[in-house]
Amino acid sequence: MLHILLITILFNFACLAQVQKKTIPIETLDNIMLLENDSAGHLSMIYLGKKLQRTEEYQQISQQYDHQADYSGVLANAYTSAGSTNLVEPAITVTHSDGNNSLNLLYVTEKRQEISDNITLTSILLRDPVYEFEVELFYKAYYSQNVIEQWSVIRHHEKSPVVLQKFASANLYLKGQGFWLKQFHGDWAKEMQTEESLLTHGNKVLDSKLGTRANLYQPPSFMVSINSPAKEDHGEVLLGTLAWTGNFRFDLEIDPLNNLRLITGINNFASAYSLPPSEDFTTPSFIYTYSSQGKGKASRNLQDWARKYRIYNGTGERQTLLNNWEATYFDFDEQRLSKLIADAKKLGVDLFLLDDGWFGNKYPRNNDHAGLGDWQENKKKLPSGIGYLVAQAKKNQVGFGIWIEPEMVNPQSELYQQHPEWIIKQPARPEYYYRNQLVLDLSNAKVQDFVYGVIDTLLSNNAGISYIKWDCNAVIYNAYSATGVNKSHLYIDYVKGFYSVLKKIRERYPAVEMMLCSGGGGRVDYGALQYFNEFWPSDNTDPLERIFMQWEYSYFFPAIATSSHVTDWGKQPLKFKTDVAMMGKLGFDIVVAKLDEKDLAFSKNAVSFYKSQNSVIWHGDQYRLMSPHENPFASMSFVSKDQKQAIMFNYLVSARYGAVTTSPIKLQGLNPSKYYAVKEENLYPGTLSSMAQGKVYSGDFLMQVGLNPILNVKRTSVIISISETDQKLKKK
Ligand code: DGJ
C-alpha cells in the first residue's frame, strides 16, 4: 500500500507543475491502471499493465504514443459520451429532458476509500458542463487477486426524466500490437465452445438479447490477448465478465490508432431507460483481471476473487448429491423416490435432489407441457407430500434438495388462467413458446412476491430442504409487460426483480445451498452467483464434452461452483465419467440399483475419495496442464494453497493413431524444494496401476521433467495424487 501513497504523492506533485493534469492510479499487486485527464478535462485511460519499477516514469507513458489521428482527443476516454465531439462507439448516449442528444463528460474530482487491507475503491466524478448531468465511475481494486470490479452510477438534476439510450458499466482502452479475442458460443447442450481471432478494425459486438436464459447462445465472459495470443503460462491477457443475469453487450472496437476500445455493460437493445431527476442508475459491475503471465495466472486470480468475494459461500463446503432427473424424468412416485433416497445413502453422497415433475394437480406435471406455475405437490405421485420425502431422507441420513422453476408458467396451468397480466407476452400477437412455456413478469412487484412466496412456502413447510436447484428454461419472446409503466424497462427491471427475490430468499434462508441452472448453462454469471453456491454448466454430461466445456468455464469460474454429474450420457466407462465429474462439484444422476457389484463398489469408493480431496479441488489453485484442443490428451491439476497436496486429472480425448502419452506432462504450482509421493487413485476394482505407486519425486523434477500418467486406450482416465512427504529420494 506504500506504493499507492508514493504514486499518488508523485502525481499530485506533477499536477502542481502541469495545471489541472491529474493522473489517477488504480493499483493491484502486480499491475497498474492509469487514468489521466487532459487540459480540456477529458479523462482517458492511458495504461493497463505490469507495474513499472520506477513510479516516476508513469508520467512518460502518454508521450510515447502519437495521437495525431485522434482529432477530438476522446478515443481513449474512460467513459466515452455521444453527441458532441466523439464519433466512435460511445459508452453512454442520452436524450436530455429538452430532447437534446448531446453529452460531454469532463473530469471534476475523485475519491479513494480503503475498504479493507485488500480492497480500495476509487470513484471519479465526471460532469457535463452544459447539462446538469453526471456520471461517477467506480473502480474497486482487489489488491492480492489483481482483480478490478468496475461500474458506473448515472444521475442528473434536469427538470424531467432523461432517457438513457446506452449506459455501459466500463469503458477500457488497451494499447498493443494486435488483440486476439477468445469468445464463447453455444446452444442447449453445446455450451462454451470457443473461437479465437485477431480483432480487425471496426466494432465487434458480443451480446445477448434473450432476456432470461440470456447466455444460451453466448455467455457474458471473454478474454483478450494483447500483442499475441496468450498461452497458459505466458503472454498478456485480460479476462472479463459482466455480473448481470440478462441481456449484455460488449463492444470491442479497434480504433484508427490501432488500439482496442472495450465497452461493456447491459445491452441497450430495446431498453431505453427513463431516469427521473436525482435518482441513481447503477450499472452492474464488469469484473476483469489483467495478467502479463498468461491465461493460467489470470484465471487463478479470478477464481480466488470469486471464491472470496462473490460466489455465495465461495470459501465454504458443498454437498455431493444424487439427482433423479435422468434416472426417472417425470415418471416417479413416492415408492420409487423412496428407493432412490435409500440409494443416495448407499452411494455415500450427502443429499438426494428431487428434480422436475413433483407438482401440479389440475394440470399435472407429467411432461414439459403442463403444470409450471402450480407449485403444489402432485397428489397422485406424492400423496404424502414433500414432507414425507424429506423425512425419508432424514431417516437415511441424507439431505433433501428440490428442483423449481418459479419464473415460468405453462399455458396449461391454473396460474396462467388466474393471472394473465403476470405473463410476458404481446397483447395482440399470438403466444410463442420456448419449451412450451412463457416467462412471468418479474418486473412486477406482485410477481416478485409470488415467486418469493413459492420458495418461502416450500422451505418453511419443509424445514429439512437443504438444497434448491433453480431452473430457467425459456427465453423471452414477445417482450412486453402488461403492468410496467415504461415498456422499454422490462429487460432491466426483470433482472432487478430477480435479484430482489434472491436477496430476500438469502436473508431468510442463508444456509440453503442453491444451484443456478438454466436448461443447462443458460445463466452463468457473477450477478446471480452472489446468491448461488454453484451452477449447472450444461445438460450435456457426456464426459468427453464436459472435459472441453469445463476447461473453458474454468477460466472464469472455480471448480467449487461447477456442478458436474455422472450420468448415462456418453459411451465411456464409469470410471472415466466419474473422474471427469470429480473435476467439479461431484454429483450423480444414475440409477444406482442398476449398477453391478463392481460399479457400485467403485462409485462408493469414488465418493469417499472425492471427499478426501475436495478441499484441494474446491479451494486450491487450478492449472491447465495439457489442452484437449491441441492434444489427444487433457490434463488438469489442483494444488492446495500450502503446496502440500495436489491432484492431477488426465484423460485420453482422442484415440486416433493409437495415441499414448509418450512424454511426461509437467506439473505446476508445487514447491521445487519439497518431495512428493505420487500415487494413482480411484482405480476401478480389480485393475492395477501402470505407475509405480507411492514413488517419491522432488517438486523440481515434477515441474521440470513432469510425470507420465501412461494414458492409452486401456487407460483412458488417470487420477494421480501428489502428496508432500518427508521421505527423501532413495539413493541407489
Ligand atoms: C433443465 C435442466 O438443465 C435439467 O437438469 C432438468 O432439471 C430439466 N430442466 C428439468 O425440466
Side-chain angles (χ1 to χ4, degrees), residues 188 213 323 325-326 330 355-357 365 368 403 405 435 469 471-473 515 517-521 536 538-539 589:
W188 176 78
R213 203 177 176 172
N323 189 193
W325 175 238
E326 291 187 24
F330 299 96
D355 215 285
D356 195 354
R365 180 76 171 167
D368 63 14
W403 176 96
E405 193 180 2
R435 206 194 187 202
K469 175 177 178 183
D471 209 344
C472 163
N473 282 286
M515 181 210 264
C517 172
S518 182
W536 183 234
S538 176
D539 277 352
D589 196 343

Side-chain angles (χ1 to χ4, degrees), residues 242-253:
L242 188 76
W244 183 247
T245 317
N247 295 347
F248 65 87
R249 175 181 167 126
F250 302 152
D251 294 291
L252 299 111
E253 182 178 22

Side-chain angles (χ1 to χ4, degrees), residues 670-717:
L670 303 174
N671 185 335
S673 47
K674 299 277 179 178
Y675 293 94
Y676 294 90
V678 165
K679 187 171 170 231
E680 182 171 356
E681 306 277 5
N682 213 34
L683 286 159
Y684 192 78
T687 45
L688 293 174
S689 174
S690 308
M691 302 175 65
Q693 291 290 67
K695 191 154 184 202
V696 175
Y697 301 88
S698 68
D700 178 44
F701 180 91
L702 292 170
M703 293 194 291
Q704 295 289 340
V705 177
L707 200 61
N708 191 332
I710 318 179
L711 291 167
N712 55 50
V713 276
K714 292 202 178 118
R715 281 167 57 82
T716 52
S717 133

